[in-house]
Amino acid sequence: MKKGFESSELSCFPISSDDVSAGFPSPAENHSGGSLDLTAYLIKHPEATFFLRVRGDSMTGAGIFDGDILIVDRSLSPVSGDIVISVLDGEFTVKRLIMRNNGTVELRPENPRFKPLRIYEESQLDIWGVVTGAVKSFR
């Protein structure tokens, strides 16, 4: 896997200065708002960022679906509530990290068909990075 990348590896694309309504339609003129540098927008720490493709449907409630590509930042310290990439007892997984005041930790799926993964003293948990975004394709 390639470590980091240069901003010039992704192109800048034109972006409209208007927002699009997700509720009721509003009249909008076609305005150019300049350009969007996808690297600068999506990646805050290029040297510590990598991408992973999702397989499975345990995180659909968080808007993460099979085939999505996750943007993962290894430089961030995970906090409770973050979606993380972790290795639990040798298995990679993406889940929401829950750390309680009593010291217990769990990796929680965002799909009611799956059970939370409780972390026990004998468990081997390594948090690889914090998910900061996702890339989706609708077509």
Side-chain angles (χ1 to χ4, degrees):
M1 177 179 349
K2 184 176 179 182
K3 299 274 187 196
F5 47 87
E6 296 298 319
S7 177
S8 63
E9 291 183 53
L10 289 180
S11 298
C12 290
F13 296 92
I15 186 168
S16 173
S17 62
D18 294 320
D19 294 333
V20 63
S21 175
F24 293 104
S26 66
E29 298 176 27
N30 189 9
H31 291 102
S32 175
S35 62
L36 171 66
D37 180 338
L38 288 174
T39 302
Y41 181 73
L42 295 172
I43 298 158
K44 304 303 181 225
H45 307 107
E47 66 287 344
T49 299
F50 64 97
F51 299 86
L52 288 174
R53 186 174 306 275
V54 175
R55 290 292 171 231
D57 60 355
S58 71
M59 295 299 289
T60 57
I64 299 172
F65 294 88
D66 187 70
D68 287 352
I69 298 171
L70 300 180
I71 303 166
V72 182
D73 190 331
R74 293 200 66 176
S75 71
L76 299 176
S77 296
V79 297
S80 189
D82 280 344
I83 296 174
V84 298
I85 302 298
S86 63
V87 180
L88 176 60
D89 297 327
E91 300 283 329
F92 269 102
T93 190
V94 56
K95 299 286 183 281
R96 188 171 303 278
L97 178 67
I98 304 298
M99 299 183 289
R100 294 196 178 79
N101 291 336
N102 65 5
T104 60
V105 175
E106 77 178 28
L107 296 173
R108 183 179 298 162
E110 294 285 336
N111 182 331
R113 295 182 327 142
F114 295 84
K115 293 181 181 179
L117 303 173
R118 304 217 189 275
I119 310 304
Y120 301 100
E121 272 188 41
E122 63 274 7
S123 299
Q124 292 187 353
L125 176 66
D126 183 26
I127 305 296
W128 268 50
V130 176
V131 175
T132 58
V135 179
K136 307 179 155 299
S137 180
F138 294 102
R139 213 172 152 183

